[in-house]
């Protein structure tokens, strides 16, 4: 007897799996049926009970396990009470790790996750040697694909802090792109946020591998906690093992095809993505894909043709000579700063949104240095305005 809390994208395949395994399921969600018709239609006809709308977390009694959607705060009183009673708390991602027969490469970080995950997936697919499946926080669960998978395949997962914080497993290959303040509306503090990120390598063994960003102090310091083999990527330094820039050339040292040697791949100028933050994403993807067995030819082919993913500095239209870019995935000040710094032209910035309890001080400094005009929207508009005017 299980409760599934949150009828999000990832929990729909989880419900189908649990039904097939004979579980008695109660779906709990704070939204009303009229607000989630499309998702309810995907599990229509299954023997499932529902608790929807207000009070969806009341009376969570008698369940053997409770599966949480990634976005459910783990410190809600009702969830804490379950933990105190010894009820098993789990997730779709935990079930996937238990069932997946293939090696998993997992990617997390405060920014750059989706671009890096997509790059790694495309590089490994370009090899043509394995079936490569890409999923996780990038927008699709791979749980439905389990019956079609084998040990010869490769899985590439984008993993958010919410997916990681309850996960008692780590992927064979782990990557942390960077760590900057984010999601502090959901995590108790920065320490709790970093602790969640650590789960991507916390359960590794000595033969597993983790790739860290040498240029990001918070990420570099994680090396002391790693049990597996550690590799770095850097655009500023030359780490002993990993990928870096030397005289504008992407260089790989003592990793994968460059075991015990250095291999120069191509000029960083071949990268078509905007911004130096994307140079870091490329170096991260090069290191991780090399660990997973990619060849230099596959890596160079993909990084020289890859033009990005939707909502990330995506050129939408040119109207009367003005270029309109969609960077709506930039949901933290650090991401917004990276996007602004990718341009040399005058910028009109449209910004705002809901409050994640993050500081806008650094963003305000960048806006004053690089931005021509600002249009502010959403609940954070006044906070951003105040930070900009203060500087």
């Amino acid at each position: 007897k299980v409760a599934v809390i949150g009828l999000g994208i990832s929990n729909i395949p989880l419900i189908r799996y649990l039904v097939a395994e004979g579980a008695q399921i109660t779906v709990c969600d704070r939204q009303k049926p009229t607000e989630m018709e499309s998702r309810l239609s995907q599990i229509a006809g299954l023997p499932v009970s529902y608790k929807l709308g207000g009070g969806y977390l009341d009376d969570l009694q008698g369940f053997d396990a409770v599966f949480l959607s990634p976005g459910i705060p783990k410190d809600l009183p009702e969830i804490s009470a379950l933990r105190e009673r010894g009820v098993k708390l789990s997730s779709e991602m935990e079930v996937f790790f238990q069932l997946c027969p293939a090696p998993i490469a997992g990617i997390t970080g405060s920014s750059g996750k989706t671009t890096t995950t997509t790059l790694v997936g495309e590089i490994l697919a370009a090899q043509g040697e394995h079936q490569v499946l890409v999923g996780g926080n990038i927008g699709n669960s791979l749980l439905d694909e389990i019956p079609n998978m084998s040990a010869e395949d490769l899985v590439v997962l984008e993993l958010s802090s919410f997916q990681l914080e309850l996960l008692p497993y780590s992927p064979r290959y782990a990557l942390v792109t960077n760590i900057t303040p984010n999601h502090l509306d959901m995590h108790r503090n920065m320490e709790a946020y970093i602790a969640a990120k650590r789960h991507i390598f916390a359960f590794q063994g000595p033969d597993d591998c983790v790739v860290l960003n040498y240029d990001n102090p918070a990420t570099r310091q994680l090396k002391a906690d790693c049990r597996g083999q550690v590799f770095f990527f850097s655009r500023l330094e030359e780490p002993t093992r990993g990928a870096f820039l030397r005289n504008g050339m992407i260089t790989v040292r003592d990793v994968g095809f460059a075991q015990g040697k250095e291999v120069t791949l191509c000029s960083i100028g071949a990268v078509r993505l905007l911004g130096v933050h994307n140079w870091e994403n490329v170096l991260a993807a090069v290191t991780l894909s090399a660990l997973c067995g990619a060849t230099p030819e596959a890596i160079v082919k993909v990084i020289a043709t890859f033009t990005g993913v939707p909502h990330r500095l995506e050129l939408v239209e040119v109207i009367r000579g003005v270029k309109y870019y969609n960077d709506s995935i930039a949901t933290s000040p650090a991401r917004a700063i990276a996007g602004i710094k990718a341009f040399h032209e005058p910028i009109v910035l449209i910004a705002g949104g809901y409050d994640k309890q993050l500081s806008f001080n650094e963003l305000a400094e960048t806006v004053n240095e690089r931005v021509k005009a600002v249009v502010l929207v959403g609940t954070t508009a006044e906070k951003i305005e105040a930070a900009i005017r203060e500087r």
Side-chain angles (χ1 to χ4, degrees):
K1 186 179 179 184
V2 303
V4 177
I5 300 179
L7 190 59
I9 293 173
S10 62
N11 277 352
I12 289 172
L14 172 67
I15 290 166
R16 288 195 288 260
Y17 169 77
L18 292 173
V19 166
E21 292 294 308
Q24 301 175 49
I25 300 171
T26 300
V27 175
C28 309
D29 197 291
R30 67 181 175 183
Q31 290 189 307
K32 300 174 183 177
T34 53
E35 299 174 305
M36 49 196 306
E37 291 178 355
S38 63
R39 280 172 281 159
L40 287 170
S41 67
Q42 296 180 58
I43 56 173
L46 295 179
V48 173
S49 302
Y50 296 94
K51 288 178 63 177
L52 305 178
Y56 74 108
L57 292 179
D58 294 345
D59 301 319
L60 291 175
Q61 304 287 339
F63 292 107
D64 301 305
V66 173
F67 292 82
L68 302 177
S69 179
I72 300 291
K74 311 307 185 289
D75 57 356
L76 288 174
E78 298 90 343
I79 305 302
S80 297
L82 290 172
R83 188 183 282 111
E84 289 169 7
R85 295 204 306 269
V87 176
K88 165 70 175 174
L89 299 181
S90 188
S91 66
E92 170 265 345
M93 191 55 69
E94 179 174 348
V95 173
F96 180 78
F97 266 77
Q98 288 171 339
L99 299 176
C100 181
I104 298 174
I107 296 159
T108 196
S110 299
S111 56
K113 294 188 297 294
T114 300
T115 296
T116 305
T117 300
T118 306
L119 269 169
V120 171
E122 293 201 8
I123 290 169
L124 296 176
Q127 294 276 110
E129 297 177 3
H130 308 273
Q131 176 183 221
V132 179
L133 298 99
V134 179
N137 192 57
I138 203 168
N140 59 301
S141 169
L142 296 179
L143 201 53
D144 284 339
E145 301 296 327
I146 290 289
N148 306 316
M149 293 170 58
S150 75
E152 304 304 313
D153 302 331
L154 287 170
V155 171
V156 183
L157 294 178
E158 177 184 326
L159 295 166
S160 70
S161 58
F162 307 129
Q163 289 171 313
L164 287 167
E165 61 184 332
L166 287 182
L167 189 65
Y169 302 102
S170 294
R172 182 181 301 181
Y173 307 100
L175 164 64
V176 185
T177 59
N178 48 58
I179 294 179
T180 56
N182 204 350
H183 299 300
L184 298 186
D185 56 329
M186 299 285 281
H187 294 285
R188 293 188 310 279
N189 48 42
M190 192 64 185
E191 289 71 28
Y193 175 61
I194 295 174
K197 293 293 190 187
R198 278 198 189 95
H199 277 227
I200 200 165
F201 58 76
F203 305 99
Q204 285 189 328
D207 295 328
D208 298 326
C209 302
V210 60
V211 178
L212 302 174
N213 183 346
Y214 192 87
D215 302 336
N216 177 247
T219 311
R220 184 171 69 245
Q221 291 168 10
L222 295 177
K223 179 182 179 181
D225 303 324
C226 296
R227 299 178 182 178
Q229 301 179 54
V230 179
F231 300 81
F232 286 105
F233 65 93
S234 173
R235 64 181 179 85
L236 303 175
E237 304 291 340
E238 296 188 6
T240 305
R241 296 200 298 177
F244 54 89
L245 293 181
R246 177 187 290 154
N247 299 323
M249 303 297 289
I250 299 174
T251 307
V252 179
R253 176 190 285 163
D254 199 19
V255 53
F257 56 79
Q259 192 80 39
K261 59 182 179 180
E262 284 187 6
V263 176
T264 301
L265 294 180
C266 63
S267 166
I268 193 67
V271 175
R272 298 177 64 184
L273 300 172
L274 291 171
V276 294
H277 65 289
N278 275 318
W279 294 2
E280 295 180 4
N281 294 336
V282 167
L283 291 169
V286 166
T287 310
L288 186 62
S289 57
L291 282 171
C292 294
T295 63
E297 293 77 18
I299 292 174
V300 172
K301 175 184 175 182
V302 171
I303 63 177
T305 56
F306 184 74
T307 55
V309 293
H311 318 302
R312 289 152 183 80
L313 292 178
E314 176 187 14
L315 180 60
V316 178
E317 191 67 80
V318 181
I319 302 174
R320 293 181 223 157
V322 178
K323 296 177 180 177
Y324 289 79
Y325 285 88
N326 172 5
D327 197 34
S328 56
I329 202 62
T331 58
S332 71
R335 289 187 185 188
I337 290 167
I340 292 167
K341 289 183 175 180
F343 297 98
H344 299 289
E345 301 89 343
I347 295 171
V348 175
L349 177 70
I350 304 172
Y354 71 89
D355 195 348
K356 298 167 79 174
Q357 303 300 317
L358 304 175
S359 169
F360 294 112
N361 292 342
E362 288 187 37
L363 175 63
E365 291 174 8
T366 303
V367 165
N368 277 299
E369 291 169 3
R370 309 285 288 267
V371 174
K372 173 183 174 182
V374 181
V375 181
L376 297 172
V377 300
T379 57
T380 53
E382 291 184 2
K383 288 181 68 173
I384 297 174
E385 179 185 2
I388 293 171
R389 289 192 184 280
E390 188 180 320
R391 280 154 187 77

